[in-house]
Amino acid sequence: MDLQLTTRNIATLLIDGSTIFMLGGLLLETRIMKKRNLDDDRLFYILLRFNLILALADMVTYLADEKDFPGARYLNMGGITVFYMVLNIMLMLWLQYCLVRFRRVKREIRSRFFGYFVPGIIIEILVVINIFTGILFSVDENNVYHHGVLFIPMFVTMGYLALLCFIQIGRYKTHVDREKLIPIWIFVLPIVAGLFVPFVLGGISLTSPGCAMSIMFTHLGSAAEINVKGGEMS
Amino acid sequence: MMSSIMSDVGYVTIYANGVAIMLLLGILVLSSKLRLNDENEKRIFSSLLVIALGMAVFYIIISLRDEGIIPCSHMGAMLIESAEEFLLIALMVQWVIYMDYRMYHSPGHLKRNLNRIIVPVALICLCFIINIFTGFMFYFDENLVYTETALYYVVDIIRLLFFIIPIVMLARRKKVDENIRFFTIRPFFVSILFYVGIYYITPYSVAALGISIGFALIYVDVVNAYRYQDTQTGFFNRNYLLYLKDLIRDDEYELNSAMLFTVPGDDIENTSKLIHAQLPDDCEPIRYAGDKILTLAHVKDRSPLHMVSEDVEMSLTEAGIPVAVAYDLRKKKETGSDFLERFLKKADGDNYVNR
């Protein structure tokens, strides 16, 4: 099968490959930590696994996009569908992570379920329906990607979920004097850059490395509240 | 938009190094907020990140120069390229310093190690300074096309050795030193080597991306270590005990027995080494308090506990270190949580030998 690799494809392989390396390294750490019963941050590791799938789907999409080998169109469509489904799930899980890990408000998840998670669930259903209708995105006979009529609302909803995550971190910082906690731009910048830089400059997708960085920094930022004196007795 | 003014190679290089810069900046900010017992280690690690950041920035500058976006004279090109080489040397030296300090935490050992590498480093630096005027390692022709000579690859091999030798030493040291148990090698080693490999066999300058991923994974190691490890003894710390309590309560950790050793708090590092030498592999020692080492175990029988506690007591007594020992087994109908609570309450109250 001739993949007809372009430089854009190579760039995608390098950058998504870097995400896979980073996530793979972090997941290998979890196996080592699991041996010592230290995988207490299970939600984070689930997020990493989804991010890995996101990076792989992104890679498949960019390798298949605008190519004419047999099955390229279906690979492209399949890759994009998996990409958006996984991205949506990740944003909901990340929100849950921020609520549970940072603010430790599990009951708020139940009381605000409609506002927090129902939009994401609707998007998930729409992505499945999109396979048959093309209302969010489609791939034509020439294997070229097009946005559908509901693409912008989907994008805005995902942005809303990401914004909720930043709000949780921001509320945590203002409610408690956590001077150890890192600046909020550390969480915001990678995912925003990942979504908007390719949108403005075109070409390579940075969504998966942006997500990976934001999630990793969230995890490490929450670890900043631990006793960094090594647990020595007070 | 960018592809109309740059070639694809430049485009890819800038994207890859942009991602590296973002990752390194994030790790730099995170690590600056981490308060460690050993601030030297933090400073050394931060320096490593800053140098890597500088390298990524230089790769972008070099890429813009190669694309003709930044106008550059012949001497300017030589100076930029030489500056990047010096940064790479600085990165290698800082890497050796970091690995040595991480393994030994000894300024004396570090000094001895640096004395060994100072001559080759000085020679390499001298070669690059001379190269600015002579071009015997790399040069630019009239069209500012970069070319390397055979001698450049010799220097590259030396730099690669600077990277690999500390890792080999770490792998050997991990087998004997519990303090570096959380330092996992494969994740960062593979990613750095892979991207450096791509840097050498393709026109894409993506080494900084691999290095940034490697350093991010090392930072995760550092956080894990300081989260659950007592920095003085290398044992687990009280955070780990709090975490284990949750697992015990949820029946995910089978706790059947426990031992408590109360020792003087001064010179705890040497005391902990003696205790560690007597403990079996499946015991998990936790520094419960400044002078108390709690060991949780899965054994259900009294005699192994008795033997281990006697071994520890004898070993410390021979070294002239006073020790009080307590141990106990979980009762048949007692839950793990209740047993732990009972044991800690009793052992905290008075240390006694429970035989």
Side-chain angles (χ1 to χ4, degrees), chain A residues 127-146:
Chain A
V127 172
V128 173
I129 294 171
N130 177 76
I131 297 169
F132 310 104
T133 60
I135 49 169
L136 296 174
F137 52 86
S138 60
V139 175
D140 64 19
E141 298 85 24
N142 298 321
N143 197 13
V144 175
Y145 169 81
H146 299 282

Side-chain angles (χ1 to χ4, degrees), chain A residues 46-156:
Chain A
I46 292 170
L47 268 169
L48 290 187
R49 287 180 176 97
F50 273 110
N51 210 140
L52 204 58
I53 300 171
L54 189 80
L56 287 167
D58 199 32
M59 220 188 255
V60 164
T61 303
Y62 270 75
L63 286 174
D65 190 40
E66 296 177 16
K67 300 288 190 333
D68 58 11
F69 59 80
R73 186 183 171 208
Y74 299 106
L75 259 181
N76 195 4
M77 186 65 183
I80 300 170
T81 304
V82 169
F83 180 86
Y84 283 119
M85 284 180 81
V86 169
L87 181 60
N88 193 41
I89 291 170
M90 274 176 61
L91 287 168
M92 288 192 284
L93 281 175
W94 189 23
L95 175 58
Q96 188 183 349
Y97 183 82
C98 290
L99 285 164
V100 169
R101 192 97 177 127
F102 271 108
R103 297 194 51 228
R104 306 193 187 266
V105 284
K106 283 185 184 171
R107 57 180 182 280
E108 192 171 317
I109 297 173
R110 283 194 291 273
S111 63
R112 297 200 188 187
F113 183 81
F114 193 85
Y116 282 173
F117 296 104
V118 164
I121 293 169
I122 293 171
I123 293 294
E124 206 68 13
I125 295 167
L126 282 176
V127 172
V128 173
I129 294 171
N130 177 76
I131 297 169
F132 310 104
T133 60
I135 49 169
L136 296 174
F137 52 86
S138 60
V139 175
D140 64 19
E141 298 85 24
N142 298 321
N143 197 13
V144 175
Y145 169 81
H146 299 282
H147 291 161
V149 289
L150 289 183
F151 180 81
I152 299 288
M154 177 186 76
F155 199 76
V156 168

Side-chain angles (χ1 to χ4, degrees), chain B residues 21-92:
Chain B
I21 287 169
M22 189 175 293
L23 186 54
L24 286 167
L25 270 177
I27 298 296
L28 198 56
V29 171
L30 285 168
S31 63
S32 70
K33 294 287 183 174
L34 198 63
R35 283 189 310 222
L36 307 176
N37 271 343
D38 193 345
E39 287 291 317
N40 283 334
E41 188 181 325
K42 195 172 97 169
R43 265 185 236 121
I44 296 169
F45 186 66
S46 300
S47 307
L48 209 49
L49 295 175
V50 167
I51 296 171
L53 203 60
M55 270 181 63
V57 168
F58 260 89
Y59 281 132
I60 291 178
I61 293 172
I62 288 168
S63 186
L64 291 172
R65 179 207 68 201
D66 288 343
E67 297 294 321
I69 292 170
I70 298 178
C72 198
S73 65
H74 186 271
M75 182 51 88
M78 285 297 278
L79 286 173
I80 291 173
E81 203 68 39
S82 300
E84 190 260 316
E85 297 295 340
F86 282 120
L87 267 178
L88 196 49
I89 294 166
L91 186 74
M92 290 296 108

